[in-house]
Amino acid sequence: MIGLVLQAELTEKSYLFNTGKSFKSYGFLGCHLHDNKQAEFNVWAPNAKSVAVVGDFNDWQDSPLEQIKDTGIWHLDLANVAAGDLYKFAIVGPDDERILKIDPYATQFERKPGDAAVVTSPITHKWRDGLWLGRRKRSNAAERPMNIYEVHLGSWKRHADDSYYTYSEIAAELIPYVKKLGYTHIELMPIMEHLLDASWGYQQLGYFATTSRFGTRDDFLAFVEKCHLANIGVIVDWVPGHFIRNYDALYQYDGTPTFEYQDANRADNKRWGAWNFDLGKAQVQSFLISSAMYWLEECHLDGLRVDAVSNMLYLDYDDGKEGLINKNGDNRNLEGIEFLQKLNQTIHAAHPDVLMIAEESSAYKGVTDTVENGGLGFDYKWNLGWMHDTLKFFEMDPVYRCDNFRLLTFAFVYMYNEQFILPFSHDEVVHGKKSLMHKMPGDRYNQFANLRTMMTYLLAFPGKKLRFMGSEWGQFLEWRDWSQLEWVDLKDAMNHQMDDFTKALNDIYHDERPLWEQDYEPAGMIYSNTDDAASSTMGFIRQGKRKRQFVVAAFNFVPVERKDYRIGVPYSGEYELLINTEDERYGGTWTKLETNFTADNTPFHGQPASFTATLPAMGALLIKPIKLNRG
């Protein structure tokens, strides 16, 4: 029998949960182990006839929970429970069917194919990343460099016997590798527990549990801390829109639609073979926002990349749902929109310095605008339109690029509509789409030349950057989630030179403030020569906050060298080369570089001064001023 004091305490916590205001509900729901080997179990199952916990501690025999009146929460205190014990909840629904269910708040699960929760001790990790967190709070991320290395932990590296690396082993190799190449952040594809490897983690089982594939929760905390001590941020993909199909997971948790929509058509996500969360339900909001808060607060993540936002914004986004409309007569998912706004407001109120990133594939307006202005409140949005158009352009035979130049220039129209991250992500190098290297036209030399030019274009274009693992050296094979990257490629001279190029390019990005400090300000971009489709060349200037601090970018998208290529600049004076993509050090053909340029007072393309350079065939130049005349 629950005591009166405990009853009152649980009733108060349940009220907040049931009204969508419990943003750290992981603090009381789930299993909580105390020092005296007594565990407290609390679970939300409002329509269940009975709930029991079964596990190693009771020989998998029912230990019944007591329902807290008018809350939908069931409670039990149980003795002789130890860390490492496996358990599940046995739930009898309104139809008298008894089903073993996972603990939605479990912080660890057993290794697949099993899906029992694991009793875990409270977090006792003594964090040492205070300097990192302090710098994060004091800095404005929009005005800082952000160069993200996207990683799938299961296929970055594996042991010779094809077994997974542990979190500790990954930390020992991934962190110095990312540091050496000059990336600022690691973005992990979902590391929340999931059963199906082929889902890459996007069909999640545990919303508070790191996957057991690579170790324990505490091992993951140590990985994050080591990243921070190396001055590398950690972002993780998170999926609040839909959950795993399995009947012993969240689906019809208490025998009725609990986490998913009551309407079976809205609940069923046909495209991904999953169930859609009922984002308008207060308890689901408490659950999901608590999940986000857990990863950001308890695990010290620097940001969440929210997957499949479009699926939460539109009623008709999924197959077979054409024609669904809301009370206003349009196709917007009003409760989905309100949930995303509430999510971002809640997270930023508690942690204004963490990054909330939307993977949103439509042209929905205001994804990164404030909620007060009617926006969704995200910090950044992946620019999928830029990504698709850029890749389509570079996949073309260069002879056709002059007729399709709009694929590049169209992005100038909307580049400041949102705060964008420019991604070359995992989605573009899988399922027969080919690797970035394989997409490039021509023989092997020309493929590398195109890849270097495209990566320089990514670096120079306004917006933060993201590249998927393996692209740094131009892996030819398409990504395979079931095996490690083709590290053997680095024994090849051209792949090794491409890897050196990536490091050089990333170092330039980090060192040159104009390339990142005004990414989202129109003043950060000066259009010099962006409409020369006939020659398939382009030039523009990235302007820093200081008037005389800028970087000139010039591109040649065809294999025809352009001698005496004139580039307009704001000042006459002396300029120097930052990088030439055709430098022989990086696999190009130039053995002798033009390293210095003198701009005179010849006006060109709206600029008062200009200089000439030889623009390499299928190549790019980055140039900066070193001594400017008064002007």
Side-chain angles (χ1 to χ4, degrees), residues 232-260:
I232 295 170
V234 183
I235 300 165
V236 171
D237 289 5
W238 179 62
V239 189
H242 58 274
F243 58 88
I244 192 172
R245 204 76 151 169
N246 298 38
Y247 278 40
D248 57 350
L250 298 182
Y251 175 67
Q252 295 210 351
Y253 192 78
D254 64 3
T256 68
T258 311
F259 289 88
E260 70 274 25

PDB file of all heavy atoms in Angstrom, residues 232-260:
ATOM      1  N   ILE A 232      35.767  19.323 -29.226  1.00  0.00           N
ATOM      2  CA  ILE A 232      34.907  18.845 -30.297  1.00  0.00           C
ATOM      3  C   ILE A 232      33.488  18.713 -29.752  1.00  0.00           C
ATOM      4  O   ILE A 232      33.264  18.073 -28.710  1.00  0.00           O
ATOM      5  CB  ILE A 232      35.385  17.489 -30.846  1.00  0.00           C
ATOM      6  CG1 ILE A 232      36.761  17.644 -31.503  1.00  0.00           C
ATOM      7  CG2 ILE A 232      34.389  16.914 -31.838  1.00  0.00           C
ATOM      8  CD1 ILE A 232      37.419  16.335 -31.852  1.00  0.00           C
ATOM      9  N   GLY A 233      32.536  19.332 -30.424  1.00  0.00           N
ATOM     10  CA  GLY A 233      31.144  19.230 -30.018  1.00  0.00           C
ATOM     11  C   GLY A 233      30.525  17.924 -30.474  1.00  0.00           C
ATOM     12  O   GLY A 233      30.991  17.291 -31.430  1.00  0.00           O
ATOM     13  N   VAL A 234      29.442  17.510 -29.799  1.00  0.00           N
ATOM     14  CA  VAL A 234      28.756  16.252 -30.121  1.00  0.00           C
ATOM     15  C   VAL A 234      27.275  16.527 -30.356  1.00  0.00           C
ATOM     16  O   VAL A 234      26.579  17.038 -29.471  1.00  0.00           O
ATOM     17  CB  VAL A 234      28.914  15.204 -29.004  1.00  0.00           C
ATOM     18  CG1 VAL A 234      28.247  13.888 -29.414  1.00  0.00           C
ATOM     19  CG2 VAL A 234      30.389  14.976 -28.686  1.00  0.00           C
ATOM     20  N   ILE A 235      26.814  16.193 -31.551  1.00  0.00           N
ATOM     21  CA  ILE A 235      25.405  16.299 -31.938  1.00  0.00           C
ATOM     22  C   ILE A 235      24.909  14.885 -32.229  1.00  0.00           C
ATOM     23  O   ILE A 235      25.656  14.070 -32.777  1.00  0.00           O
ATOM     24  CB  ILE A 235      25.255  17.182 -33.196  1.00  0.00           C
ATOM     25  CG1 ILE A 235      25.796  18.589 -32.937  1.00  0.00           C
ATOM     26  CG2 ILE A 235      23.795  17.250 -33.661  1.00  0.00           C
ATOM     27  CD1 ILE A 235      26.028  19.395 -34.202  1.00  0.00           C
ATOM     28  N   VAL A 236      23.676  14.586 -31.855  1.00  0.00           N
ATOM     29  CA  VAL A 236      23.125  13.252 -32.095  1.00  0.00           C
ATOM     30  C   VAL A 236      21.781  13.380 -32.795  1.00  0.00           C
ATOM     31  O   VAL A 236      20.973  14.253 -32.464  1.00  0.00           O
ATOM     32  CB  VAL A 236      22.975  12.460 -30.779  1.00  0.00           C
ATOM     33  CG1 VAL A 236      22.200  11.168 -30.996  1.00  0.00           C
ATOM     34  CG2 VAL A 236      24.356  12.131 -30.192  1.00  0.00           C
ATOM     35  N   ASP A 237      21.538  12.497 -33.758  1.00  0.00           N
ATOM     36  CA  ASP A 237      20.241  12.448 -34.432  1.00  0.00           C
ATOM     37  C   ASP A 237      19.194  11.857 -33.482  1.00  0.00           C
ATOM     38  O   ASP A 237      19.452  10.864 -32.797  1.00  0.00           O
ATOM     39  CB  ASP A 237      20.319  11.573 -35.689  1.00  0.00           C
ATOM     40  CG  ASP A 237      21.125  12.223 -36.801  1.00  0.00           C
ATOM     41  OD1 ASP A 237      21.698  13.293 -36.562  1.00  0.00           O
ATOM     42  OD2 ASP A 237      21.173  11.648 -37.905  1.00  0.00           O
ATOM     43  N   TRP A 238      18.010  12.454 -33.483  1.00  0.00           N
ATOM     44  CA  TRP A 238      16.932  12.080 -32.557  1.00  0.00           C
ATOM     45  C   TRP A 238      15.628  12.052 -33.340  1.00  0.00           C
ATOM     46  O   TRP A 238      15.409  12.883 -34.220  1.00  0.00           O
ATOM     47  CB  TRP A 238      16.901  13.107 -31.422  1.00  0.00           C
ATOM     48  CG  TRP A 238      15.854  12.921 -30.370  1.00  0.00           C
ATOM     49  CD1 TRP A 238      15.716  11.875 -29.524  1.00  0.00           C
ATOM     50  CD2 TRP A 238      14.809  13.851 -30.040  1.00  0.00           C
ATOM     51  NE1 TRP A 238      14.661  12.082 -28.669  1.00  0.00           N
ATOM     52  CE2 TRP A 238      14.084  13.292 -28.973  1.00  0.00           C
ATOM     53  CE3 TRP A 238      14.427  15.096 -30.538  1.00  0.00           C
ATOM     54  CZ2 TRP A 238      12.990  13.936 -28.405  1.00  0.00           C
ATOM     55  CZ3 TRP A 238      13.342  15.746 -29.969  1.00  0.00           C
ATOM     56  CH2 TRP A 238      12.629  15.165 -28.911  1.00  0.00           C
ATOM     57  N   VAL A 239      14.747  11.090 -33.008  1.00  0.00           N
ATOM     58  CA  VAL A 239      13.567  10.825 -33.837  1.00  0.00           C
ATOM     59  C   VAL A 239      12.297  10.932 -32.993  1.00  0.00           C
ATOM     60  O   VAL A 239      11.813   9.929 -32.453  1.00  0.00           O
ATOM     61  CB  VAL A 239      13.657   9.425 -34.484  1.00  0.00           C
ATOM     62  CG1 VAL A 239      12.547   9.240 -35.520  1.00  0.00           C
ATOM     63  CG2 VAL A 239      15.025   9.195 -35.107  1.00  0.00           C
ATOM     64  N   PRO A 240      11.723  12.121 -32.852  1.00  0.00           N
ATOM     65  CA  PRO A 240      10.511  12.269 -32.054  1.00  0.00           C
ATOM     66  C   PRO A 240       9.214  12.082 -32.830  1.00  0.00           C
ATOM     67  O   PRO A 240       8.132  12.203 -32.243  1.00  0.00           O
ATOM     68  CB  PRO A 240      10.623  13.711 -31.545  1.00  0.00           C
ATOM     69  CG  PRO A 240      11.290  14.423 -32.672  1.00  0.00           C
ATOM     70  CD  PRO A 240      12.263  13.430 -33.263  1.00  0.00           C
ATOM     71  N   GLY A 241       9.286  11.800 -34.103  1.00  0.00           N
ATOM     72  CA  GLY A 241       8.067  11.722 -34.903  1.00  0.00           C
ATOM     73  C   GLY A 241       7.438  10.351 -34.948  1.00  0.00           C
ATOM     74  O   GLY A 241       6.212  10.218 -35.011  1.00  0.00           O
ATOM     75  N   HIS A 242       8.265   9.297 -34.913  1.00  0.00           N
ATOM     76  CA  HIS A 242       7.726   7.949 -35.054  1.00  0.00           C
ATOM     77  C   HIS A 242       8.591   6.969 -34.285  1.00  0.00           C
ATOM     78  O   HIS A 242       9.730   7.258 -33.940  1.00  0.00           O
ATOM     79  CB  HIS A 242       7.655   7.554 -36.532  1.00  0.00           C
ATOM     80  CG  HIS A 242       8.973   7.612 -37.241  1.00  0.00           C
ATOM     81  ND1 HIS A 242       9.460   8.767 -37.802  1.00  0.00           N
ATOM     82  CD2 HIS A 242       9.916   6.665 -37.478  1.00  0.00           C
ATOM     83  CE1 HIS A 242      10.626   8.526 -38.369  1.00  0.00           C
ATOM     84  NE2 HIS A 242      10.932   7.265 -38.176  1.00  0.00           N
ATOM     85  N   PHE A 243       8.034   5.767 -34.020  1.00  0.00           N
ATOM     86  CA  PHE A 243       8.766   4.781 -33.225  1.00  0.00           C
ATOM     87  C   PHE A 243       8.599   3.386 -33.820  1.00  0.00           C
ATOM     88  O   PHE A 243       7.775   3.151 -34.706  1.00  0.00           O
ATOM     89  CB  PHE A 243       8.333   4.816 -31.755  1.00  0.00           C
ATOM     90  CG  PHE A 243       6.851   4.581 -31.515  1.00  0.00           C
ATOM     91  CD1 PHE A 243       6.340   3.300 -31.359  1.00  0.00           C
ATOM     92  CD2 PHE A 243       5.968   5.655 -31.422  1.00  0.00           C
ATOM     93  CE1 PHE A 243       4.986   3.089 -31.128  1.00  0.00           C
ATOM     94  CE2 PHE A 243       4.613   5.456 -31.184  1.00  0.00           C
ATOM     95  CZ  PHE A 243       4.125   4.171 -31.047  1.00  0.00           C
ATOM     96  N   ILE A 244       9.378   2.466 -33.306  1.00  0.00           N
ATOM     97  CA  ILE A 244       9.499   1.111 -33.837  1.00  0.00           C
ATOM     98  C   ILE A 244       8.144   0.385 -33.867  1.00  0.00           C
ATOM     99  O   ILE A 244       7.283   0.587 -33.013  1.00  0.00           O
ATOM    100  CB  ILE A 244      10.532   0.327 -32.990  1.00  0.00           C
ATOM    101  CG1 ILE A 244      10.921  -0.975 -33.661  1.00  0.00           C
ATOM    102  CG2 ILE A 244      10.016   0.111 -31.591  1.00  0.00           C
ATOM    103  CD1 ILE A 244      12.085  -1.679 -32.954  1.00  0.00           C
ATOM    104  N   ARG A 245       7.988  -0.467 -34.863  1.00  0.00           N
ATOM    105  CA  ARG A 245       6.737  -1.181 -35.101  1.00  0.00           C
ATOM    106  C   ARG A 245       6.427  -2.234 -34.033  1.00  0.00           C
ATOM    107  O   ARG A 245       5.269  -2.583 -33.812  1.00  0.00           O
ATOM    108  CB  ARG A 245       6.859  -1.866 -36.470  1.00  0.00           C
ATOM    109  CG  ARG A 245       5.555  -2.172 -37.152  1.00  0.00           C
ATOM    110  CD  ARG A 245       4.939  -0.938 -37.743  1.00  0.00           C
ATOM    111  NE  ARG A 245       4.114  -1.213 -38.901  1.00  0.00           N
ATOM    112  CZ  ARG A 245       3.322  -0.322 -39.452  1.00  0.00           C
ATOM    113  NH1 ARG A 245       3.264   0.906 -38.947  1.00  0.00           N
ATOM    114  NH2 ARG A 245       2.594  -0.601 -40.503  1.00  0.00           N
ATOM    115  N   ASN A 246       7.426  -2.791 -33.390  1.00  0.00           N
ATOM    116  CA  ASN A 246       7.279  -3.978 -32.545  1.00  0.00           C
ATOM    117  C   ASN A 246       6.161  -3.845 -31.514  1.00  0.00           C
ATOM    118  O   ASN A 246       6.038  -2.820 -30.848  1.00  0.00           O
ATOM    119  CB  ASN A 246       8.596  -4.275 -31.823  1.00  0.00           C
ATOM    120  CG  ASN A 246       9.715  -4.581 -32.796  1.00  0.00           C
ATOM    121  OD1 ASN A 246       9.814  -3.964 -33.854  1.00  0.00           O
ATOM    122  ND2 ASN A 246      10.571  -5.524 -32.439  1.00  0.00           N
ATOM    123  N   TYR A 247       5.391  -4.927 -31.347  1.00  0.00           N
ATOM    124  CA  TYR A 247       4.231  -4.908 -30.472  1.00  0.00           C
ATOM    125  C   TYR A 247       4.615  -4.958 -28.997  1.00  0.00           C
ATOM    126  O   TYR A 247       3.794  -4.643 -28.124  1.00  0.00           O
ATOM    127  CB  TYR A 247       3.298  -6.072 -30.803  1.00  0.00           C
ATOM    128  CG  TYR A 247       2.381  -5.798 -31.978  1.00  0.00           C
ATOM    129  CD1 TYR A 247       2.842  -5.130 -33.103  1.00  0.00           C
ATOM    130  CD2 TYR A 247       1.048  -6.182 -31.956  1.00  0.00           C
ATOM    131  CE1 TYR A 247       2.012  -4.871 -34.187  1.00  0.00           C
ATOM    132  CE2 TYR A 247       0.206  -5.921 -33.041  1.00  0.00           C
ATOM    133  CZ  TYR A 247       0.698  -5.261 -34.152  1.00  0.00           C
ATOM    134  OH  TYR A 247      -0.127  -4.993 -35.227  1.00  0.00           O
ATOM    135  N   ASP A 248       5.847  -5.369 -28.676  1.00  0.00           N
ATOM    136  CA  ASP A 248       6.250  -5.389 -27.271  1.00  0.00           C
ATOM    137  C   ASP A 248       6.968  -4.110 -26.865  1.00  0.00           C
ATOM    138  O   ASP A 248       7.540  -4.033 -25.786  1.00  0.00           O
ATOM    139  CB  ASP A 248       7.129  -6.613 -26.978  1.00  0.00           C
ATOM    140  CG  ASP A 248       8.361  -6.673 -27.853  1.00  0.00           C
ATOM    141  OD1 ASP A 248       8.458  -5.880 -28.816  1.00  0.00           O
ATOM    142  OD2 ASP A 248       9.235  -7.523 -27.587  1.00  0.00           O
ATOM    143  N   ALA A 249       6.929  -3.100 -27.747  1.00  0.00           N
ATOM    144  CA  ALA A 249       7.544  -1.806 -27.443  1.00  0.00           C
ATOM    145  C   ALA A 249       6.453  -0.811 -27.049  1.00  0.00           C
ATOM    146  O   ALA A 249       5.603  -1.105 -26.212  1.00  0.00           O
ATOM    147  CB  ALA A 249       8.371  -1.332 -28.635  1.00  0.00           C
ATOM    148  N   LEU A 250       6.416   0.358 -27.685  1.00  0.00           N
ATOM    149  CA  LEU A 250       5.460   1.395 -27.276  1.00  0.00           C
ATOM    150  C   LEU A 250       4.073   1.212 -27.880  1.00  0.00           C
ATOM    151  O   LEU A 250       3.094   1.780 -27.372  1.00  0.00           O
ATOM    152  CB  LEU A 250       6.004   2.783 -27.670  1.00  0.00           C
ATOM    153  CG  LEU A 250       7.316   3.217 -27.028  1.00  0.00           C
ATOM    154  CD1 LEU A 250       7.681   4.632 -27.477  1.00  0.00           C
ATOM    155  CD2 LEU A 250       7.243   3.148 -25.514  1.00  0.00           C
ATOM    156  N   TYR A 251       3.956   0.445 -28.961  1.00  0.00           N
ATOM    157  CA  TYR A 251       2.678   0.316 -29.664  1.00  0.00           C
ATOM    158  C   TYR A 251       1.596  -0.250 -28.743  1.00  0.00           C
ATOM    159  O   TYR A 251       1.788  -1.259 -28.075  1.00  0.00           O
ATOM    160  CB  TYR A 251       2.856  -0.584 -30.881  1.00  0.00           C
ATOM    161  CG  TYR A 251       1.563  -0.887 -31.605  1.00  0.00           C
ATOM    162  CD1 TYR A 251       0.876   0.120 -32.278  1.00  0.00           C
ATOM    163  CD2 TYR A 251       1.026  -2.166 -31.594  1.00  0.00           C
ATOM    164  CE1 TYR A 251      -0.310  -0.146 -32.939  1.00  0.00           C
ATOM    165  CE2 TYR A 251      -0.165  -2.449 -32.257  1.00  0.00           C
ATOM    166  CZ  TYR A 251      -0.831  -1.432 -32.923  1.00  0.00           C
ATOM    167  OH  TYR A 251      -2.017  -1.693 -33.575  1.00  0.00           O
ATOM    168  N   GLN A 252       0.433   0.428 -28.702  1.00  0.00           N
ATOM    169  CA  GLN A 252      -0.698   0.034 -27.855  1.00  0.00           C
ATOM    170  C   GLN A 252      -0.196  -0.424 -26.484  1.00  0.00           C
ATOM    171  O   GLN A 252      -0.445  -1.542 -26.035  1.00  0.00           O
ATOM    172  CB  GLN A 252      -1.526  -1.050 -28.541  1.00  0.00           C
ATOM    173  CG  GLN A 252      -2.187  -0.556 -29.814  1.00  0.00           C
ATOM    174  CD  GLN A 252      -3.489  -1.225 -30.165  1.00  0.00           C
ATOM    175  OE1 GLN A 252      -3.893  -2.225 -29.562  1.00  0.00           O
ATOM    176  NE2 GLN A 252      -4.186  -0.690 -31.149  1.00  0.00           N
ATOM    177  N   TYR A 253       0.503   0.478 -25.842  1.00  0.00           N
ATOM    178  CA  TYR A 253       1.273   0.114 -24.661  1.00  0.00           C
ATOM    179  C   TYR A 253       0.400  -0.459 -23.547  1.00  0.00           C
ATOM    180  O   TYR A 253       0.779  -1.431 -22.882  1.00  0.00           O
ATOM    181  CB  TYR A 253       2.054   1.328 -24.151  1.00  0.00           C
ATOM    182  CG  TYR A 253       3.084   0.946 -23.118  1.00  0.00           C
ATOM    183  CD1 TYR A 253       4.292   0.371 -23.503  1.00  0.00           C
ATOM    184  CD2 TYR A 253       2.837   1.120 -21.758  1.00  0.00           C
ATOM    185  CE1 TYR A 253       5.235  -0.015 -22.566  1.00  0.00           C
ATOM    186  CE2 TYR A 253       3.773   0.743 -20.808  1.00  0.00           C
ATOM    187  CZ  TYR A 253       4.967   0.169 -21.222  1.00  0.00           C
ATOM    188  OH  TYR A 253       5.892  -0.223 -20.290  1.00  0.00           O
ATOM    189  N   ASP A 254      -0.749   0.137 -23.313  1.00  0.00           N
ATOM    190  CA  ASP A 254      -1.625  -0.380 -22.253  1.00  0.00           C
ATOM    191  C   ASP A 254      -2.790  -1.180 -22.817  1.00  0.00           C
ATOM    192  O   ASP A 254      -3.793  -1.394 -22.148  1.00  0.00           O
ATOM    193  CB  ASP A 254      -2.133   0.761 -21.367  1.00  0.00           C
ATOM    194  CG  ASP A 254      -3.018   1.757 -22.124  1.00  0.00           C
ATOM    195  OD1 ASP A 254      -3.276   1.520 -23.332  1.00  0.00           O
ATOM    196  OD2 ASP A 254      -3.421   2.764 -21.529  1.00  0.00           O
ATOM    197  N   GLY A 255      -2.637  -1.635 -24.055  1.00  0.00           N
ATOM    198  CA  GLY A 255      -3.702  -2.372 -24.732  1.00  0.00           C
ATOM    199  C   GLY A 255      -4.564  -1.488 -25.590  1.00  0.00           C
ATOM    200  O   GLY A 255      -5.476  -1.976 -26.277  1.00  0.00           O
ATOM    201  N   THR A 256      -4.311  -0.198 -25.561  1.00  0.00           N
ATOM    202  CA  THR A 256      -5.010   0.772 -26.403  1.00  0.00           C
ATOM    203  C   THR A 256      -3.957   1.717 -26.992  1.00  0.00           C
ATOM    204  O   THR A 256      -2.820   1.752 -26.518  1.00  0.00           O
ATOM    205  CB  THR A 256      -6.019   1.600 -25.584  1.00  0.00           C
ATOM    206  OG1 THR A 256      -5.298   2.457 -24.680  1.00  0.00           O
ATOM    207  CG2 THR A 256      -6.963   0.705 -24.793  1.00  0.00           C
ATOM    208  N   PRO A 257      -4.313   2.509 -28.009  1.00  0.00           N
ATOM    209  CA  PRO A 257      -3.353   3.503 -28.512  1.00  0.00           C
ATOM    210  C   PRO A 257      -2.938   4.444 -27.383  1.00  0.00           C
ATOM    211  O   PRO A 257      -3.773   5.178 -26.843  1.00  0.00           O
ATOM    212  CB  PRO A 257      -4.129   4.231 -29.607  1.00  0.00           C
ATOM    213  CG  PRO A 257      -5.158   3.236 -30.060  1.00  0.00           C
ATOM    214  CD  PRO A 257      -5.551   2.493 -28.810  1.00  0.00           C
ATOM    215  N   THR A 258      -1.675   4.416 -27.021  1.00  0.00           N
ATOM    216  CA  THR A 258      -1.184   5.155 -25.859  1.00  0.00           C
ATOM    217  C   THR A 258      -0.222   6.257 -26.291  1.00  0.00           C
ATOM    218  O   THR A 258      -0.456   7.440 -26.040  1.00  0.00           O
ATOM    219  CB  THR A 258      -0.492   4.204 -24.862  1.00  0.00           C
ATOM    220  OG1 THR A 258      -1.349   3.080 -24.616  1.00  0.00           O
ATOM    221  CG2 THR A 258      -0.177   4.907 -23.555  1.00  0.00           C
ATOM    222  N   PHE A 259       0.849   5.861 -26.956  1.00  0.00           N
ATOM    223  CA  PHE A 259       1.814   6.834 -27.461  1.00  0.00           C
ATOM    224  C   PHE A 259       1.475   7.283 -28.883  1.00  0.00           C
ATOM    225  O   PHE A 259       1.888   8.351 -29.306  1.00  0.00           O
ATOM    226  CB  PHE A 259       3.222   6.245 -27.437  1.00  0.00           C
ATOM    227  CG  PHE A 259       3.789   6.082 -26.050  1.00  0.00           C
ATOM    228  CD1 PHE A 259       3.570   4.922 -25.322  1.00  0.00           C
ATOM    229  CD2 PHE A 259       4.535   7.095 -25.471  1.00  0.00           C
ATOM    230  CE1 PHE A 259       4.088   4.772 -24.043  1.00  0.00           C
ATOM    231  CE2 PHE A 259       5.065   6.959 -24.191  1.00  0.00           C
ATOM    232  CZ  PHE A 259       4.834   5.788 -23.479  1.00  0.00           C
ATOM    233  N   GLU A 260       0.732   6.472 -29.614  1.00  0.00           N
ATOM    234  CA  GLU A 260       0.394   6.774 -31.001  1.00  0.00           C
ATOM    235  C   GLU A 260      -1.016   7.371 -31.091  1.00  0.00           C
ATOM    236  O   GLU A 260      -1.764   7.394 -30.113  1.00  0.00           O
ATOM    237  CB  GLU A 260       0.489   5.521 -31.871  1.00  0.00           C
ATOM    238  CG  GLU A 260      -0.587   4.472 -31.622  1.00  0.00           C
ATOM    239  CD  GLU A 260      -0.239   3.509 -30.504  1.00  0.00           C
ATOM    240  OE1 GLU A 260       0.559   3.880 -29.595  1.00  0.00           O
ATOM    241  OE2 GLU A 260      -0.789   2.403 -30.499  1.00  0.00           O
TER     242      GLU A 260
END
